[in-house]
Amino acid sequence: MKLQIHITCLATVFSIADAAAPPVFPGLADPGTLNTLSIQGDAKDKGITLSGRDARGQLVVSGHYSTGQQRDLTGQATYRTTPENILKVNARGGLLPLANGTATVTATAKGKSTFIQVTILRMGTEPAVHFDNEVTPILTKLGCNTGACHGKKGGKGGLELSLLGYGPEMDHQHLTRQGRIRRIMMEAPDLSPFLRKATGDLPHVGGARLERGSPEYHTLRRWITEGGRRGDAEAPKVASIEVFPKQRVMPRKGTQQLRVVAHYTDGTLEDVTRLAEYKTGAASLAEADETGLVKTRELIGDVAVMARYQGQVAPFRITIPMGVKVAQWPQPRNFVDVEVFRKWREVAIPPSEPCDDPTFIRRVTIDIAGRIPKPAELSAFLADQKVGKRERLIDRLLASTDHADYFANKWAALLKVGRGYHPPAFRRGVYGFHAWIRRSLHQNKPYDQFVREILAASGPISRNPNVAWFRAPNPQLFRKNHLLMEDASQIFLGTRMQCAQCHHHPFEKWSQDDYRSFLSFFTYTRTTPVEVPADEIGVVPLINAAVTARGLGDKPMTIPPGQDARSVMVDWMAKPDNPFFARALSNRYWKHFFSRGLVEPEDDLRDSNPPTNPGLLDALAEHFVKSKFDLKGLILEICRSHTYQLSALPNEYNKTDLQYYSRYYTRRLHAEVLLDAVDQVAGTHTVFKSAYSNTLPAGTRAVQLPAATWSHPFLNAFGRPQGKSACECERENSPTLTQALQLLNSSVINGKINQPNARPAQWAADTERSAKEKIAELYRLAYARAPTDSELTVATSYLERASEKPAPLKTNNSKPPPDPLHEAYVDLMWALITRPEFLFND
Amino acid sequence: MNLTRNRQRFCDGISRRQMLQIGAAGLAGLNLPDILGAEARTGRGSSEKSVIHIFLQGGPSHLDMVDLKPEAPANIRGPFKSIPTAIPGIHFCEYMPKLAKLAKKMAVIRSVTGFAPRHRLFPIASGYPREGRNSLTELGGRPTQSAVVQKLMNPIDPLIPTSILLNRGAGNHAEGSPIGMQDPGFLGPPYRAFMATPFLAGKQSTLSLRQGVTVDRFHRRQRLGGSLDTLRREIDSGNRIEAADRATQLASNILLSSKLREALDLKKESPALLERYGAHKRWDMTFEFVPSSFKHNYGRYNEDLVLARRLIEAGSRFVMTTWGHWDTHGNNFPIMKNMLPAFDAGLSGLITDLYERGLDKTTLVIVWGEFGRSPKVGFDGNSGGKPGRNHWPAVGMAMIIGGGMQMGQVIGKTDAHAAAIKERPVHIQEVMATAYHHLGLDPKTTTITDPAGRPQYLVDHNDPIRELI
């Protein structure tokens, strides 16, 4: 019975979220009148050239309207070709070559016309099929070489192909030489098992994937007829691909035909629309079919469709606007606002109101200093009437050691402080390294210098604790150079190289060659154990030989003898035009304050995973470089922006916004911050124990712990990272049952609020101050605000009812009977700290 | 323009899009927390399928249990005799008479392969080695099956945790911490299976109200908290506050309901039932020369089997426990002679109980250890100068019970000395794939994204054992 009642009273909590019907958005406004049409050629003001019988082309017809809008009219236009015998154009703008020559294609839609010259070459005189450039893309498009099919390690059904075609040499070998050399049959190409399997003519686990008579079939068949040769190894390769259009503002339920052109290393162009693959970033917003036709759906938002061909990727960016009329946009305070507001205007999404002062001080204190504000800070801040009080608060927090503690906690997990360290090396490898991180952040060491002092650390650990990053003293946990490189590229360049160790990165341009060339920066480093004393280890760069290495996406460089290759690598990273270094840090810090990175995951920056607001990421990175890598300066700009200071309360339209930062996104406090906050409210301390060392100063808070070696059930339950991975995603912020049990009923929480010297006991014993004053103090402590009148009434009456209770009778038990008023204060504190208002930063 | 209709799909039926949820998320796109989202995707909320995973820690001797070789020389076959089972032509060890009678209610795999050569339960709990190739050590390691189930599946009963670890008897010998069974790997601590042992009846626990908080006071606190909870839930983004509210509600219900506590309370079972499981006595070792580390209270392990059944019945999906200490070496035969009857009683009790309650249709039981033991009765560094059986990772056995699968069969065959697999090798991952299949998580299509952003299949050898399904 009691259970039933309980469930009903909690159920009211959920009703709000379910009740709200989705608001109606006007969407993209009427385009106005059609002024002109245009057709995209191979280059600006150029025609289109197709080469060979199996070539296919794609027209994209755009309508230019009086409002400045551009809309796709490819599927609505009618096409006329003169002369008619050169090529055919289908209803969707697809081009089919018929004979050599040049023709004019005229497109007409809604009373407007435009034309383009199309030239057909080499009909019947096609050069021999080139395996790498012509067969591999077909295998990729058909899905033959995916990880689930023949691209799997060891292959499927006896045939192994390289994953997504990164190793054409092996693929060629396997297709032409394996399978008792019977996969292809030059004399009777149509009987080749290679083709018969693909068409489903022979039983094929992967099913029928190729249509007999299609251009792809013709190409593969011709390749067999010509002898199944690999072709000229020096032939031009695809250098990049280009998508047209690059971006569009599209209405809901709109369509857009794409055109993809491959640029070869010799400068030639090829229309590869038909052979490219298309992937949408969010199927709920837009989908693309295999012909490059994009369709938006009923939702609004930003989404990118990626085109991929021969390992190259290019995005088509779509904005599907909300189209709400906003009477007045807020004034931008800095470049952050300029870029964010630009997006809001484009989408026409109205932002939430600015947050009030109590909300702001709690939010910014948690985000910068990793703790909840103290009542005295709150009063001083609220009393401050001078202009610029929020900026002054940000400055004060950034200067505090609490900021260094909190951000050292963040970086220590990423740098795996404590991982694999046991006594006796523990002192230097853990305390020393952590103390250095904290000190560097407190001094606001320029970020490039910070990174240099880690990545190029040398010497014995007794003199330079940073070498702890290179290896743990335990020989079982030798950190191999390639793992160091992978960590370094993920943490500092936002680039995940793990895949490229074994195969071409499936969604990115990184090859095994890129992997090894970048690894060379680390290769000539030796980590050396020194037996005596037992805690001494060190890093020695071997600098007596020249090293050839290559930064990601850059040219090879030779590092002369006498120079530490790692330091040269940091030089490369810190170059103002490095496309990764400043962007990776900017995105990481942006996510710290806004819960969602401009790129997600925050350390996976790549062409195929574009930022939601590219202009903003560029602006942040540019500012960061210009400021000479001033970390605190970046935080200041982020926190003083109008954007950061918005309320979490949504308006009619932005409830579901999770990508435009049009309101503050709430999130749970980190495990360490939460435990410290409980202590701060209760007036207690937590004692942390480690298996190896307990020598922490008294009163050390959870965010100050040097490593996860100091374990605590509360921290573990709330998802504190163990320093296992170089990704902040190791921190787990999903609510779980174990967490709820910890909060509601653990000896940790109950123990703290019941302590005889904790605040509830003090309040119960204090007869000087009124109950209302104490309740107000509790609210300031826990929620950084004053209680409302009704909250004050509820809390006061709860305390009054407790004090009206008759004093409990003395029992034979030696324990003193519980004081009802003390219990009531304990209950009140419990009631406040188990609620989302305490657990979440809003 | 159309090549063929199905080419956007991989050969195993997943579309590329499902595998690559990359790039920008939409307004109504990825806004659910992972936990809710994953559950919604699997859509298995209503099924009542469950698994009991019993680890015979230390490496059970397949030659002395289900794969005896009476024709082999004495230094291979050992002193134990074989007895016929309910399946004609299939023999078990003479010290497993009850299981022999129940042979039609179980399936024995004699040809399990893929074991790691070390005393660790992690490989048979996750399907992967701790270190080395494909172990994802740098990302936190592979998650064990318990963590995967915790992550991907809805609870059957909201008052009972999805994955539960019972390991009361284990841990008092050095090798291989039982913690390996519940390691969440890269999924992270929130997916660690619920450790039930500290919550067994009679122990201080966060499952029942504590430190002077009575049910009345808890209600008072909750009412107070409810009326002071003025936070407007519209500020929620990505449903995180909602998820926290739900977790709080579940925890409160558990604290106020006695269901989980009662499921963990053996006093609710009749003495007669405990006796059927052999859970009524200690089963002390009668041989004095057996090292003290083997003198376990085997009745305690059988109690855990009763608890496992109680938890499954209460609504858990995945219950793990260890049974016994099988790292026998030089004491193999005296220990097995003493331990097997206790094991025989416990497992036969569980089988009979599951069938009587009809749970054999919904619950799959897997019984196995980290490897087999050496065919040759011999000496090694651990045998203490006495002939016994040592580690043998080349082959091991597994017993499979229930799950609505084909029982009463023996799968696979070893050679004349039970040293190598002769027919039908079954990889440890195929055993796990069978469990995933049973739970409704298709091992051929289900993936979890690791922290590096790569989709990982639950296991690589992803064919459920075809003879069973």
Side-chain angles (χ1 to χ4, degrees):
Chain A
M1 202 55 177
K2 271 170 183 162
L3 180 64
Q4 292 267 299
I5 295 162
H6 177 68
I7 291 170
T8 14
C9 74
L10 260 168
T12 55
V13 163
F14 306 118
S15 58
I16 303 159
D18 301 335
V24 181
F25 308 131
L28 183 61
D30 186 83
T33 52
L34 180 62
N35 289 342
T36 55
L37 291 186
S38 70
I39 300 182
Q40 175 71 9
D42 286 341
K44 204 173 183 330
D45 303 326
K46 280 266 174 66
I48 290 174
T49 303
L50 297 178
S51 171
R53 192 176 57 120
D54 297 334
R56 294 292 182 270
Q58 178 66 52
L59 298 178
V60 175
V61 180
S62 304
H64 302 257
Y65 288 83
S66 55
T67 53
Q69 282 187 31
Q70 289 186 40
R71 293 204 177 180
D72 181 37
L73 296 172
T74 310
Q76 297 167 37
T78 53
Y79 301 96
R80 193 160 44 84
T81 313
T82 42
E84 288 180 357
N85 62 340
I86 304 291
L87 76 154
K88 257 182 20 194
V89 185
N90 70 17
R92 289 175 61 188
L95 306 178
L96 177 74
L98 296 173
N100 285 331
T102 299
T104 303
V105 176
T106 309
T108 308
K110 301 188 174 179
K112 305 281 177 185
S113 285
T114 186
F115 66 91
I116 193 163
Q117 306 281 346
V118 180
T119 305
I120 309 295
L121 305 170
R122 299 203 187 95
M123 286 290 288
T125 55
E126 296 88 355
V129 174
H130 190 271
F131 184 84
D132 300 12
N133 282 344
E134 294 178 73
V135 176
T136 299
I138 296 175
L139 299 179
T140 306
K141 177 87 179 186
L142 297 180
C144 311
N145 54 21
T146 56
C149 300
H150 299 289
K152 186 178 175 226
K153 182 97 189 126
K156 271 265 167 89
L159 172 63
E160 181 182 3
L161 298 172
S162 60
L163 186 63
L164 302 178
Y166 72 87
E169 189 178 351
M170 178 185 99
D171 297 345
H172 180 258
Q173 188 79 13
H174 288 180
L175 285 172
T176 58
R177 292 283 174 269
Q178 277 190 344
R180 288 173 284 170
I181 326 187
R182 285 202 314 215
R183 287 201 169 118
I184 62 167
M185 300 161 86
M186 294 162 217
E187 302 77 9
D190 292 316
L191 297 180
S192 300
F194 172 53
L195 290 178
R196 293 184 64 199
K197 283 264 186 184
T199 53
D201 192 16
L202 285 178
H204 182 220
V205 176
R209 309 183 82 79
L210 177 67
E211 206 168 273
R212 199 176 276 266
S214 64
E216 288 76 15
Y217 186 89
H218 281 143
T219 305
L220 295 179
R221 186 183 183 283
R222 192 154 61 82
W223 169 69
I224 297 171
T225 319
E226 290 164 359
R229 281 191 295 267
R230 174 123 186 260
D232 182 7
E234 304 297 311
K237 291 183 171 54
V238 176
S240 64
I241 63 168
E242 197 181 358
V243 177
F244 178 83
K246 287 187 174 55
Q247 61 181 51
R248 277 280 158 91
V249 175
M250 288 177 68
R252 287 170 291 184
K253 293 189 161 185
T255 58
Q256 175 67 53
Q257 177 64 50
L258 300 182
R259 177 166 196 262
V260 181
V261 174
H263 292 251
Y264 283 84
T265 44
D266 66 348
T268 54
L269 304 176
E270 186 188 0
D271 185 324
V272 294
T273 311
R274 184 187 167 99
L275 282 170
E277 296 171 276
Y278 305 93
K279 287 174 209 135
T280 173
S284 54
L285 291 178
E287 286 195 297
D289 70 10
E290 70 273 13
T291 65
L293 183 68
V294 176
K295 288 182 181 162
T296 54
R297 305 185 66 173
E298 288 169 26
L299 300 171
I300 66 108
D302 268 45
V303 60
V305 171
M306 304 302 309
R308 182 180 190 282
Y309 182 72
Q310 289 284 69
Q312 303 293 324
V313 290
F316 164 55
R317 307 182 50 86
I318 308 163
T319 298
I320 311 160
M322 190 173 270
V324 177
K325 285 221 161 43
V326 180
Q328 201 181 0
W329 295 96
Q331 279 298 312
R333 274 189 211 136
N334 58 8
F335 68 90
V336 171
D337 290 337
V338 170
E339 296 299 333
V340 173
F341 294 6
R342 195 197 306 280
K343 196 79 214 174
W344 290 349
R345 284 168 197 262
E346 186 181 270
V347 185
I349 182 171
S352 290
E353 294 297 309
C355 68
D356 60 16
D357 276 347
T359 305
F360 178 72
I361 185 174
R362 190 171 192 268
R363 177 188 300 173
V364 77
T365 309
I366 290 169
D367 280 351
I368 294 182
R371 60 172 176 81
I372 53 174
K374 294 168 189 148
E377 291 175 295
L378 176 69
S379 319
F381 180 68
L382 296 182
D384 189 345
Q385 300 294 329
K386 295 199 201 84
V387 179
K389 65 192 252 188
R390 291 192 178 186
E391 280 82 354
R392 281 198 301 284
L393 173 63
I394 296 167
D395 282 334
R396 188 170 61 70
L397 290 169
L398 281 172
S400 71
T401 53
D402 293 337
H403 168 67
D405 287 333
Y406 187 40
F407 275 65
N409 166 277
K410 177 189 186 77
W411 281 102
L414 282 175
L415 297 168
K416 303 182 179 175
V417 175
R419 198 81 185 124
Y421 271 80
H422 306 285
F426 194 79
R427 188 169 51 86
R428 286 164 175 165
V430 177
Y431 292 101
F433 193 18
H434 178 264
W436 175 85
I437 296 170
R438 182 177 177 278
R439 201 167 53 242
S440 302
L441 294 168
H442 188 56
Q443 295 166 349
N444 199 25
K445 195 173 273 177
Y447 179 61
D448 57 331
Q449 190 189 337
F450 177 73
V451 176
R452 184 183 306 276
E453 290 177 19
I454 298 164
L455 291 185
S458 298
I461 199 168
S462 55
R463 261 181 278 140
N464 187 353
N466 300 7
V467 299
W469 185 73
F470 282 81
R471 65 163 283 200
N474 181 350
Q476 300 257 313
L477 291 159
F478 261 92
R479 301 202 53 207
K480 299 194 177 83
N481 284 334
H482 73 273
L483 299 178
L484 293 171
M485 181 279 273
E486 288 174 5
D487 275 12
S489 61
Q490 186 166 354
I491 298 171
F492 302 117
L493 301 174
T495 302
R496 299 178 179 196
M497 296 297 289
Q498 288 89 335
C499 303
Q501 187 192 356
C502 306
H503 57 78
H504 195 114
H505 193 302
F507 325 129
E508 186 45 295
K509 54 190 175 185
W510 307 125
S511 65
Q512 285 165 286
D513 181 49
D514 293 312
Y515 184 95
R516 285 190 289 261
S517 308
F518 191 57
L519 178 58
S520 294
F521 286 117
F522 289 91
T523 306
Y524 298 91
T525 302
R526 289 285 174 272
T527 48
T528 53
V530 183
E531 291 305 322
V532 183
D535 59 347
E536 189 66 298
I537 59 164
V539 169
V540 181
L542 304 180
I543 52 172
N544 48 9
V547 176
T548 304
R550 185 155 59 83
L552 297 177
D554 211 332
K555 292 184 191 67
M557 53 175 120
T558 303
I559 300 147
Q563 260 190 300
D564 188 341
R566 298 170 301 157
S567 196
V568 177
M569 173 182 67
V570 182
D571 291 341
W572 169 78
M573 286 180 173
K575 271 194 223 163
D577 59 349
N578 183 297
F580 309 104
F581 189 65
R583 291 162 65 88
L585 187 281
S586 303
N587 191 50
R588 183 182 297 286
Y589 271 36
W590 181 268
K591 180 170 181 175
H592 178 94
F593 292 93
F594 288 95
S595 306
R596 281 188 75 85
L598 294 162
V599 177
E600 280 287 343
E602 73 276 11
D603 52 9
D604 195 9
L605 278 54
R606 51 189 156 86
D607 293 348
S608 47
N609 186 25
T612 49
N613 187 339
L616 175 57
L617 186 55
D618 289 345
L620 287 166
E622 193 187 330
H623 170 86
F624 188 48
V625 172
K626 269 195 192 144
S627 71
K628 299 203 164 49
F629 302 108
D630 177 354
L631 287 169
K632 287 189 185 179
L634 181 65
I635 296 175
L636 174 66
E637 289 300 335
I638 289 174
C639 292
R640 65 185 282 264
S641 70
H642 183 93
T643 311
Y644 176 74
Q645 299 182 11
L646 290 179
S647 168
L649 261 183
N651 53 40
E652 195 185 339
Y653 299 103
N654 66 358
K655 164 79 188 157
T656 50
D657 169 23
L658 276 174
Q659 60 177 178
Y660 300 122
Y661 311 98
S662 73
R663 67 188 184 107
Y664 184 77
Y665 305 145
T666 47
R667 74 183 129 161
R668 211 200 66 215
L669 306 191
H670 288 177
E672 300 91 321
V673 178
L674 188 56
L675 182 59
D676 289 344
V678 172
D679 274 326
Q680 204 174 314
V681 172
T684 52
H685 292 291
T686 308
V687 177
F688 299 98
K689 291 198 173 114
S690 146
Y692 307 124
S693 168
N694 290 319
T695 50
L696 287 174
T700 300
R701 294 178 297 129
V703 291
Q704 294 173 318
L705 295 175
T709 323
W710 285 269
S711 154
H712 192 276
F714 187 92
L715 298 181
N716 294 342
F718 279 84
R720 180 210 4 201
Q722 304 294 309
K724 281 182 186 172
S725 97
C727 179
E728 290 195 64
C729 55
E730 197 192 333
R731 182 179 289 284
E732 183 56 65
N733 264 3
S734 304
T736 65
L737 172 60
T738 316
Q739 289 170 11
L741 284 171
Q742 273 282 341
L743 271 178
L744 264 50
N745 196 43
S746 71
S747 52
V748 176
I749 300 295
N750 274 325
K752 286 180 189 307
I753 57 182
N754 274 313
Q755 264 181 36
N757 56 353
R759 285 210 172 83
Q762 291 174 13
W763 287 332
D766 176 3
T767 49
E768 298 283 303
R769 292 195 300 165
S770 71
K772 282 192 173 160
E773 283 175 280
K774 295 172 205 165
I775 293 165
E777 187 188 354
L778 175 59
Y779 266 85
R780 283 198 302 273
L781 276 163
Y783 295 168
R785 64 172 173 91
T788 62
D789 286 344
S790 68
E791 284 165 340
L792 206 54
T793 314
V794 170
T796 320
S797 68
Y798 191 83
L799 294 174
E800 276 166 4
R801 251 178 290 143
S803 40
E804 281 162 12
K805 267 196 194 158
L809 298 169
K810 284 223 168 81
T811 58
N812 294 339
N813 201 323
S814 58
K815 264 168 112 181
D819 169 14
L821 188 61
H822 177 214
E823 282 196 344
Y825 274 113
V826 168
D827 291 349
L828 194 56
M829 186 169 281
W830 183 94
L832 259 65
I833 64 178
T834 53
R835 299 298 126 180
E837 186 165 0
F838 184 69
L839 306 175
F840 281 78
N841 191 5
D842 62 349
Chain B
M1 287 297 268
N2 187 23
L3 297 186
T4 59
R5 266 170 303 136
N6 64 346
R7 65 159 174 218
Q8 287 293 339
R9 301 232 148 210
F10 292 137
C11 10
D12 46 7
I14 335 170
S15 78
R16 186 84 45 81
R17 191 169 299 124
Q18 282 167 303
M19 287 191 60
L20 300 174
Q21 288 293 351
I22 55 168
L27 276 189
L30 308 175
N31 57 359
L32 280 171
D34 205 20
I35 180 171
L36 298 177
E39 284 169 0
R41 279 197 300 281
T42 58
R44 308 284 177 192
S46 57
S47 108
E48 299 215 336
K49 297 291 172 65
S50 57
V51 170
I52 297 177
H53 205 149
I54 302 168
F55 295 94
L56 307 184
Q57 194 176 13
S61 173
H62 56 298
L63 279 114
D64 300 317
M65 296 171 74
V66 296
D67 198 6
L68 284 81
K69 300 287 179 183
E71 310 291 314
N75 70 337
I76 302 289
R77 68 171 187 262
F80 295 169
K81 300 204 168 37
S82 68
I83 54 169
T85 66
I87 311 171
I90 300 299
H91 290 66
F92 284 176
C93 173
E94 58 179 317
Y95 298 112
M96 292 169 37
K98 291 179 175 161
L99 287 169
K101 282 201 192 91
L102 292 172
K104 286 197 168 163
K105 294 185 170 169
M106 57 200 285
V108 171
I109 309 171
R110 284 177 171 165
S111 54
V112 184
T113 176
F115 294 111
R118 298 181 65 185
H119 275 303
R120 275 180 169 175
L121 293 178
F122 181 79
I124 53 170
S126 69
Y128 292 88
R130 263 278 187 227
E131 283 120 14
R133 237 185 130 255
N134 223 356
S135 63
L136 306 182
T137 317
E138 281 301 299
L139 302 174
R142 295 274 177 174
T144 55
Q145 196 161 35
S146 61
V148 172
V149 172
Q150 179 84 42
K151 167 110 183 161
L152 294 183
M153 298 194 73
N154 273 332
I156 295 174
D157 184 304
L159 297 174
I160 304 292
T162 307
S163 285
I164 298 181
L165 171 65
L166 284 165
N167 73 323
R168 215 153 36 123
N172 53 350
H173 44 97
E175 68 277 346
S177 158
I179 299 306
M181 294 187 281
Q182 51 163 181
D183 194 325
F186 66 69
L187 293 180
Y191 301 101
R192 195 180 288 282
F194 184 75
M195 173 89 106
T197 313
F199 302 111
L200 291 180
K203 296 195 183 177
Q204 174 82 13
S205 88
T206 43
L207 287 189
S208 49
L209 296 167
R210 53 162 73 188
Q211 293 188 322
V213 181
T214 58
V215 171
D216 269 354
R217 186 167 171 208
F218 189 75
H219 276 298
R220 272 207 309 279
R221 278 183 168 190
Q222 282 286 34
R223 272 199 303 274
L224 179 66
S227 47
L228 292 177
D229 192 343
T230 55
L231 189 73
R232 296 175 63 177
R233 294 304 196 265
E234 300 104 293
I235 67 161
D236 198 357
S237 55
N239 299 17
R240 288 184 177 274
I241 297 180
E242 185 189 338
D245 282 335
R246 285 188 196 279
T248 303
Q249 181 181 16
L250 171 58
S252 312
N253 293 349
I254 284 179
L255 289 170
L256 291 170
S257 137
S258 53
K259 193 163 181 190
L260 181 56
R261 251 177 299 144
E262 283 182 8
L264 288 166
D265 189 356
L266 277 179
K267 292 198 190 73
K268 306 280 173 200
E269 291 288 351
S270 70
L273 182 125
L274 294 180
E275 194 169 337
R276 275 172 65 189
Y277 274 78
H280 60 301
K281 60 170 186 171
R282 289 182 53 86
W283 296 87
D284 285 326
M285 287 276 173
T286 51
F287 289 84
E288 287 198 357
F289 51 82
V290 167
S292 60
S293 68
F294 284 92
K295 289 186 175 167
H296 293 205
N297 177 352
Y298 291 99
R300 191 56 45 106
Y301 292 119
N302 288 341
E303 285 182 359
D304 281 354
L305 298 184
V306 183
L307 286 171
R309 193 270 294 152
R310 288 183 65 78
L311 287 166
I312 289 292
E313 209 171 35
S316 181
R317 280 207 191 268
F318 197 91
V319 179
M320 296 172 286
T321 182
T322 59
W323 201 106
H325 178 185
W326 303 77
D327 194 26
T328 52
H329 290 281
N331 296 303
N332 183 61
F333 299 107
I335 289 169
M336 291 292 272
K337 196 172 167 182
N338 276 269
M339 190 165 68
L340 280 178
F343 174 69
D344 187 48
L347 189 59
S348 61
L350 178 65
I351 294 173
T352 315
D353 204 11
L354 290 178
Y355 273 83
E356 281 180 8
R357 289 166 194 265
L359 290 171
D360 60 297
K361 296 277 176 275
T362 49
T363 304
L364 179 74
V365 184
I366 300 174
V367 187
W368 59 351
E370 59 260 48
F371 39 61
R373 300 204 82 81
S374 63
K376 200 168 162 186
V377 179
F379 305 89
D380 75 353
N382 289 320
S383 58
K386 285 174 282 187
R389 295 201 196 268
N390 305 311
H391 303 175
W392 198 257
V395 60
M397 64 95 202
M399 298 162 154
I400 309 288
I401 297 133
M405 296 185 182
Q406 300 296 322
M407 294 290 108
Q409 58 169 331
V410 169
I411 297 165
K413 205 169 175 181
T414 56
D415 64 8
H417 292 179
I421 295 167
K422 215 169 140 193
E423 278 173 23
R424 179 65 173 118
V426 176
H427 195 274
I428 56 170
Q429 292 188 356
E430 292 175 69
V431 177
M432 311 202 68
T434 309
Y436 284 126
H437 170 87
H438 168 70
L439 289 167
L441 296 170
D442 185 351
K444 288 193 177 296
T445 55
T446 311
T447 58
I448 299 184
T449 305
D450 71 22
R454 269 193 303 192
Q456 299 286 354
Y457 287 105
L458 305 181
V459 283
D460 289 321
H461 297 268
N462 53 18
D463 291 309
I465 300 168
R466 57 177 181 271
E467 293 89 340
L468 288 172
I469 59 175

Coordinates of all heavy atoms in Angstrom, one line a residue, chain A residues 66 175 238 242 249 269 328 368 547 558 755 765:
Chain A
S66 N 14.1 35.4 -55.7 CA 14.2 36.9 -55.3 C 14.6 37.1 -53.9 O 15.2 38.1 -53.5 CB 12.8 37.5 -55.6 OG 11.8 36.8 -54.9
L175 N 42.1 -11.5 -56.3 CA 41.1 -11.7 -57.3 C 41.6 -12.5 -58.5 O 40.9 -13.3 -59.2 CB 40.5 -10.4 -57.8 CG 39.5 -9.7 -56.8 CD1 39.1 -8.3 -57.3 CD2 38.2 -10.6 -56.7
V238 N 43.2 9.6 -57.1 CA 42.3 10.6 -56.7 C 43.0 11.4 -55.6 O 43.4 10.8 -54.6 CB 41.0 9.9 -56.2 CG1 40.1 11.0 -55.6 CG2 40.3 9.2 -57.3
E242 N 35.1 16.7 -54.6 CA 34.4 17.9 -54.4 C 32.9 17.6 -54.5 O 32.5 16.9 -55.4 CB 34.8 18.9 -55.4 CG 34.5 20.3 -55.1 CD 35.0 21.3 -56.2 OE1 35.6 20.8 -57.2 OE2 34.7 22.5 -56.1
V249 N 20.6 25.8 -47.5 CA 19.5 26.0 -46.6 C 18.3 25.3 -47.3 O 18.0 25.7 -48.4 CB 19.2 27.4 -46.2 CG1 18.0 27.5 -45.3 CG2 20.4 28.1 -45.5
L269 N 39.6 15.7 -64.1 CA 38.4 15.6 -63.3 C 37.5 14.5 -63.8 O 37.5 14.1 -64.9 CB 37.5 16.9 -63.4 CG 38.3 18.2 -63.1 CD1 37.3 19.4 -63.4 CD2 38.7 18.2 -61.7
Q328 N 13.6 40.6 -31.6 CA 14.9 41.3 -31.3 C 15.9 40.2 -30.9 O 15.7 39.5 -30.0 CB 14.7 42.3 -30.1 CG 15.8 43.3 -30.2 CD 15.7 44.3 -29.0 OE1 14.8 44.3 -28.3 NE2 16.6 45.2 -29.0
I368 N 34.1 26.3 -13.6 CA 35.5 26.8 -13.6 C 36.3 26.2 -12.4 O 37.4 25.8 -12.5 CB 35.6 28.3 -13.6 CG1 35.1 28.9 -14.9 CG2 37.0 28.8 -13.3 CD1 35.1 30.4 -15.0
V547 N 66.3 11.9 -38.2 CA 65.0 11.2 -38.2 C 64.1 11.8 -39.3 O 64.1 13.0 -39.4 CB 64.3 11.4 -36.8 CG1 62.9 10.8 -36.8 CG2 65.2 10.8 -35.7
T558 N 63.0 16.2 -42.3 CA 64.2 15.5 -41.7 C 64.7 16.3 -40.5 O 64.9 17.5 -40.6 CB 65.2 15.4 -42.8 OG1 64.6 14.7 -43.9 CG2 66.4 14.5 -42.3
Q755 N 26.6 13.0 11.1 CA 27.8 13.2 12.0 C 27.5 14.2 13.1 O 26.9 15.2 12.9 CB 29.0 13.7 11.1 CG 29.9 12.6 10.7 CD 31.1 13.1 9.9 OE1 31.6 14.2 10.2 NE2 31.5 12.4 8.9
A765 N 21.3 22.1 17.7 CA 21.8 22.6 19.0 C 21.8 24.1 19.1 O 21.7 24.6 20.3 CB 23.2 22.1 19.2

